[in-house]
Amino acid sequence: MTVALSVQDVHVTLGQNHVLKGVSIDARPGEFVTLLGASGSGKSTLLNVIAGLQGIDRGHVAFDGTNVEKRPPRKRGVGVVFQSYALFPHMTVGENVAFPLRAARRPAAERAKVAREMLELVQLGEMIGRRPAQLSGGQRQRVALARALAANPGILLLDEPMAALDKQLREQMQVEVTRIQRQVGITTVSVTHDQAEAMTMSDRVAVMRDGRFVQIDTPENIYRKPATEYVARFVGEANLFPARGGELLPDGVTDGRTGTAVIRPEDLRVLTGAEPADAWSVSGVVRLLSFQGSRFRLEVVSDTGGRVVCSLPPQTDAGTLLDGNRVRLGCAHPDRVHVIAATANDDAQELVVA
Amino acid sequence: MTDRSLLRAIGWYRTPIIAIGLLASLLFFVPFLVVVATSWTSGSFILFPPTGFSLQWYETVLTDRQWLNSFWLSVVVAVISTVAAVLLGTLGALGLTRIRSRALQRWVRTLFIAPIALPPIAYAVGLWSVDRRLPFLDDTLVSLVVGETLLAVPYVFALVSSGLAGTDPSLRPAASTLGASWPMILWRIELPPLLPSILGGALFAFTVVFDEVVLSVLLLPPGTQTLPLKMFTASQEAFSPELTAASTMVSLLAILVLGGAQLASNRRNRAARLRRKASA
Ligand SMILES: Nc1ncnc2c1ncn2[C@@H]1O[C@H](COP(=O)(O)OP(=O)(O)OP(=O)(O)O)[C@@H](O)[C@H]1O
Ligand SMILES: [Mg+2]
């Protein structure tokens, strides 16, 4: 089963805090949407709203076009994987996974069959008799996923599913969760702090800030065409320069009110002096060159005092880029420069070169 | 850390610690052993060292209607109060987690714990004056049971609360998104992991009520006595070895019950450890 999700202008107040300030998002059946945002931006609260665990002040939540604001969590058909996994410690893995069927008063034979199938799906078939305390972190997470999916819900919610895992396991589980989500074809909303995770797993990423969505778009567009400076800086490394009418301004001009150009580190290159003089460039002093395996990361302090980050291919001759040397950087891919119109900016006063 | 390495870590400081420990155990055990010894005297007085050896005082106590009646009365009061205290204390601790406001939570917690700090005599007098206005309660155990229950609730509440503190707060929302109704959540999700804390609380509650004297003095129907009250009056009337024989038997019973509980929990822990080891 899979369901289209629609959240319309939802407001939530917790205590004195206006936590959600009118959020709207739609997800197609089977789509994987990731909520990305700083701590406290309201991601978990939104998941709780969708699951029915959190009431709303106003707004609408609809599954397949039917309003569900009044429906209690147990009737929503939403599977949730909590950050702590929330496995029932006194039950075996099999009993945990079969719990939603027991709640629905299904016969024992069916419960056992579904538990086995779900555990096969997450490749933990032989763990059926263990207790949660006897599993590793990654195994617990997969059990929680199997349990969330066992009752065949229409929507799957994941609250920072990878947060408790180490980096290597996290990357494995990202692939694994995506595989299972595709296989089941369930509409999924996931929460994460980790932008790499958001990028790898999602059809669309929704960037949240202070209880509002700033941008909801494909991972590529979020990276290439950030709607605001906040998004540009939150997702990946970004160099922000003043722009006017879609054109980069010469370095040193801080007339930010007209627009901001976003240049990603990999779109900058070191100029050798042979380029036409009228090309855009920024000059400064090398602060740090670090080798990161697949690239060099060059950090430059520009003459106007801003920090500029540039990615260089690993075969670059590092000899000319010693700390303190002067360099000029130019734009390698002018077509990839994205300009944020000044009106789109949520923080106009910060517009000085980053 | 094992006991031995703990000892070594403490170094020469352990000498006074051990001395104080020994002294404390002496203070505790010597009177107890004296009581036990005097109870097997063949004479008619509580004397140490005992004269001769006989079990006649045990026989007297065990065949005396008054002693037996007060024993069973104590058991009945303690059992009913314990059951009531377990229900109230457990529900209170669970209910507390459902309160959203922190300030209100603190107030409720204080209310539940407060009876431990109140002087029992003040509390007993209060209950007694209420009791006197309700003449239809005169010949019943109701007021005593109510009083003892309220004294025992804090122990259950405290143990269950600390048990709850160690459980994941998202179990309940998780169960509700999985389709469970609240009775099912309570019965199948919340209570089972709390069982050890509830049993511990019950044991505490039972011993507190069983040994309690002050409330019994004021609230018992005329002509009845709980065991501690009977012992107390016996100690004031004749100084007969009946008293020490009864004390010895109650103490043995307590040791058996506590030892049994300890054994059961040890066995459970060991089983859990073995299971973990088997899976590692
Ligand atoms: N019970 C509460 N009372 C008042 N404010 C609350 C309560 N619970 C959460 N908040 C506030 O709501 C805001 C959003 O919380 P939420 O848990 O949704 O954030 P989040 O985006 O999930 O953060 P994180 O990434 O740290 O999990 C936070 O600023 C938090 O302080
Ligand atoms: Mg959160």
Side-chain angles (χ1 to χ4, degrees), chain A residues 10-14 45 48-49 52-57 69, chain B residues 100:
Chain A
V10 163
H11 289 255
V12 169
T13 315
L14 291 173
T45 308
N48 287 340
V49 164
L53 295 166
Q54 171 65 55
I56 57 181
D57 302 346
E69 297 103 59
Chain B
R100 293 217 169 174

Side-chain angles (χ1 to χ4, degrees), chain A residues 4-303:
Chain A
L5 167 70
S6 166
V7 174
Q8 292 300 327
D9 194 34
V10 163
H11 289 255
V12 169
T13 315
L14 291 173
Q16 309 297 325
N17 300 348
H18 197 176
V19 176
L20 294 185
K21 302 168 183 166
V23 297
S24 304
I25 188 170
D26 290 297
R28 295 187 312 274
E31 192 176 19
F32 195 120
V33 177
T34 297
L35 309 182
L36 182 63
S39 193
S41 55
K43 307 179 297 288
S44 300
T45 308
L46 180 55
L47 281 200
N48 287 340
V49 164
I50 298 172
L53 295 166
Q54 171 65 55
I56 57 181
D57 302 346
R58 64 196 162 87
H60 297 284
V61 181
F63 295 171
D64 270 345
T66 316
N67 275 355
V68 295
E69 297 103 59
K70 300 261 151 46
R71 240 186 251 176
R74 67 194 180 90
K75 299 208 171 125
R76 286 210 184 185
V78 170
V80 187
V81 175
F82 289 80
Q83 187 175 338
S84 64
Y85 307 143
L87 296 179
F88 306 134
H90 56 291
M91 297 184 187
T92 64
V93 165
E95 286 165 342
N96 262 283
V97 175
F99 183 79
L101 289 101
R102 151 160 266 167
R105 304 191 192 289
R106 313 301 308 189
E110 184 187 339
R111 297 206 299 260
K113 179 168 155 282
V114 172
R116 263 197 314 277
E117 281 171 10
M118 296 315 298
L119 286 171
E120 285 306 324
L121 178 70
V122 299
Q123 303 178 337
L124 285 178
E126 67 283 15
M127 303 287 172
I128 194 159
R130 293 221 191 150
R131 304 255 162 186
Q134 302 166 326
L135 299 180
S136 72
Q139 292 170 335
R140 274 179 224 175
Q141 194 222 26
R142 280 183 281 167
V143 174
L145 186 61
R147 185 180 67 176
L149 292 172
N152 197 11
I155 294 180
L156 178 64
L157 304 178
L158 310 168
D159 195 351
E160 309 199 25
M162 316 291 176
L165 308 179
D166 61 47
K167 188 171 180 304
Q168 208 171 4
L169 189 56
R170 193 181 307 176
E171 281 164 8
Q172 260 176 37
M173 288 309 299
Q174 287 168 4
V175 176
E176 183 71 6
V177 170
T178 321
R179 170 186 74 80
I180 293 166
Q181 189 264 342
R182 296 271 147 80
Q183 191 173 336
V184 180
I186 187 172
T187 315
T188 304
V189 182
S190 175
V191 161
T192 183
H193 276 121
D194 179 348
Q195 35 154 314
E197 184 180 313
M199 294 297 183
T200 22
M201 298 179 77
S202 339
D203 296 317
R204 280 190 302 154
V205 176
V207 182
M208 238 181 146
R209 182 188 192 189
D210 281 339
R212 289 198 183 87
F213 283 127
V214 202
Q215 187 174 10
I216 306 177
D217 214 330
T218 60
E220 193 185 349
N221 279 349
I222 293 271
Y223 187 74
R224 287 276 160 231
K225 302 193 162 74
T228 70
E229 281 183 39
Y230 179 79
V231 177
R233 274 185 230 181
F234 196 79
V235 180
E237 281 186 304
N239 300 298
L240 305 182
F241 299 103
R244 180 183 295 142
E247 290 292 309
L248 277 164
L249 290 176
D251 185 38
V253 179
T254 56
D255 181 8
R257 249 152 296 153
T258 53
T260 307
V262 181
I263 306 182
R264 295 296 179 180
E266 62 273 21
D267 296 335
L268 286 175
R269 65 189 175 115
V270 178
L271 299 181
T272 53
E275 294 78 9
D278 60 337
W280 176 88
S281 71
V282 52
S283 31
V285 174
V286 174
R287 181 155 78 186
L288 184 68
L289 179 73
S290 47
F291 182 62
Q292 303 193 328
S294 57
R295 63 162 194 164
F296 278 105
R297 181 177 178 281
L298 176 66
E299 200 176 312
V300 172
V301 181
S302 76
D303 295 341

